[in-house]
Structure formats: structure tokens, C-alpha cells
Amino acid sequence: MEAVHVFPDSGHVVMQSDVKRKKMQYALDYISMLGTSGLSFAGISGSVSYEPGEQDDVDIFLIAEDGRLWEIIFRAFIRRRLLGMHDICVSLCMSASYALDYYSKILDPLIADDAVHVIPVYGRPYYEQLLSVIGRDNIHATHGSKSRRWSLRSGISRILFIMLAPMMIIKGLIVNHHLVSAGRESESFRTLVSSNYFVLDSAKYRTLMERRRAGSENLD
């Protein structure tokens, strides 16, 4: 298995607490077991990229080479299960072309702030290039479009998408039903899937964004 190379300066990330340090190491241990084949970027997002609480999950953000997204997603979930790392939440995955388009269209300063706070583990130079195109909606005019060729791996990824996407949506509906029934609606989430992305859009995150926006408006 290919090793994930943690950046030399990753140790210089400011650690506000022992909780953050432990959760970051937990994420590094997971990503190091994921392998880099087909992977453009792997990083730590969510609360751990800021200041996590003891009970917070460790959100992982993955960007895959075009044509290999669902192969990477499948590998990520299998590794999580085999390693028994249940605090890992593979919550945001994108193809490289979708990531470029998404980042170039970010206009909300709070979303941009979240993007900047992501802690790179693998593919830092690649991610720095993504950050540099935030808000530049004409980015495709300068980069152009690449022709997509069929390959065995892209074919496998498409098959995995057809197989896994419905299962993930159904699982999400079942989990959310149990959460709401148990009075834990704040922990519910939406499962958003396409051939180019997989997102667990949590109610907790949406509430946090609303509060941050309200706070920003109060400062105006």
C-alpha cells in the first residue's frame, strides 16, 4: 500500500488543545492507511479544523482524480470499517474537475473561511491551487476543458456509483429516522450524491452557518 506523505510543516499547525491534537492524529492514522492511488487530496475539515469538542466526529475531505471518485469512496468506507475507526466521518468527497468548478464559484465568505481552515494531509500544493481560484468564476476560460477518456478504472467507478449511491441514500434515511425518533434531530443530515460528489450535509453544520451569518450581519 502506498504511504501517505504528511507535509513537513504539518507539525507546525497551531494546536489549541489536547483534544484537537488527538483528533488530528486520529485522522492522520486513518489517511495514512487509505493509500494515495487515485487521490488528489486528503484533508481534515469540520470542527477539527477549528477547535473540536470531545464528542465531535473527525470529518475527512477527499478529492479524487477524475473517473475514480467512487472507487476512492468505496475504499475510504471499507478502510474505515476494517480499521474500526467509527469516529471518522467521510463527509465530503469530490472529483477534481468538480472541485475546481465548486471552488471557483465560492462567493460566501464563511464558506471560503471553512475552505481555508481545511487542514491538508495529502496533496497540499494541489489544495493551495484550489484556494487560489476561489471566487474566480471564469477559471475554465483559462484552464480549458479536458476530454474525458473511458478507462477500466472509470468504468469501475461508474459501476460502484450505481451500486453504492442508492444504498447510501437509503442508509441515510434510516439513520435520520432513528435520530429524529430519539429526539436527536440536530444530529441529522442529508446525503447528497452524484457521479462527481458525495456530501453528508449535517443539520448541525447548517445551524452553525446560520449563526455565523447572523453574527456577521450584526457586525455590519
Side-chain angles (χ1 to χ4, degrees):
M1 181 184 297
E2 298 176 41
V4 171
H5 301 287
V6 180
F7 300 109
D9 61 349
S10 63
H12 293 92
V13 176
V14 176
M15 303 291 188
Q16 286 92 350
S17 68
D18 287 339
V19 172
K20 181 169 182 175
R21 184 180 297 108
K22 290 177 182 177
K23 289 184 179 291
M24 281 188 62
Q25 186 58 56
Y26 190 73
L28 294 176
D29 291 343
Y30 170 76
I31 293 173
S32 68
M33 297 298 292
L34 185 58
T36 60
S37 177
L39 198 63
S40 295
F41 172 77
I44 306 167
S45 58
S47 62
V48 179
S49 66
Y50 288 91
E51 182 55 49
E54 187 71 48
Q55 302 303 317
D56 287 349
D57 288 336
V58 180
D59 290 295
I60 301 297
F61 177 16
L62 303 175
I63 301 177
E65 296 173 7
D66 285 348
R68 299 188 65 178
L69 175 63
W70 282 86
E71 173 196 341
I72 296 297
I73 291 172
F74 177 71
R75 196 165 82 213
F77 278 95
I78 288 294
R79 290 286 194 277
R80 175 184 177 273
R81 178 174 290 274
L82 291 177
L83 294 169
M85 302 182 76
H86 304 300
D87 286 342
I88 290 292
C89 181
V90 183
S91 58
L92 180 59
C93 305
M94 303 176 181
S95 65
S97 59
Y98 180 85
L100 178 62
D101 184 60
Y102 177 80
Y103 272 64
S104 70
K105 292 179 179 177
I106 292 177
L107 297 176
D108 189 317
L110 296 179
I111 295 177
D113 187 48
D114 281 348
V116 170
H117 271 83
V118 168
I119 301 171
V121 176
Y122 174 79
R124 180 176 182 176
Y126 168 86
Y127 192 69
E128 288 178 342
Q129 288 183 340
L130 271 186
L131 292 178
S132 72
V133 306
I134 287 179
R136 292 170 55 191
D137 197 18
N138 63 344
I139 194 68
H140 293 289
T142 57
H143 280 68
S145 59
K146 296 181 180 179
S147 60
R148 297 182 181 178
R149 297 181 181 179
W150 186 91
S151 68
L152 177 60
R153 285 194 177 276
S154 65
I156 291 173
S157 188
R158 289 181 184 182
I159 292 171
L160 287 171
F161 167 62
I162 293 170
M163 292 173 56
L164 297 177
M167 293 171 58
M168 289 179 167
I169 292 172
I170 292 170
K171 180 181 178 181
L173 292 172
I174 293 172
V175 171
N176 279 309
H177 173 73
H178 289 311
L179 288 172
V180 172
S181 299
R184 297 161 58 192
E185 190 170 356
S186 62
E187 299 175 39
S188 64
F189 57 88
R190 295 183 298 179
T191 305
L192 309 177
V193 299
S194 86
S195 58
N196 285 312
Y197 61 78
F198 169 77
V199 182
L200 295 181
D201 182 27
S202 70
K204 182 179 179 180
Y205 179 75
R206 293 195 300 274
T207 299
L208 177 62
M209 289 295 287
E210 289 170 3
R211 289 175 180 172
R212 290 172 66 190
R213 287 194 179 98
S216 298
E217 291 171 358
N218 291 337
L219 292 174
D220 290 340

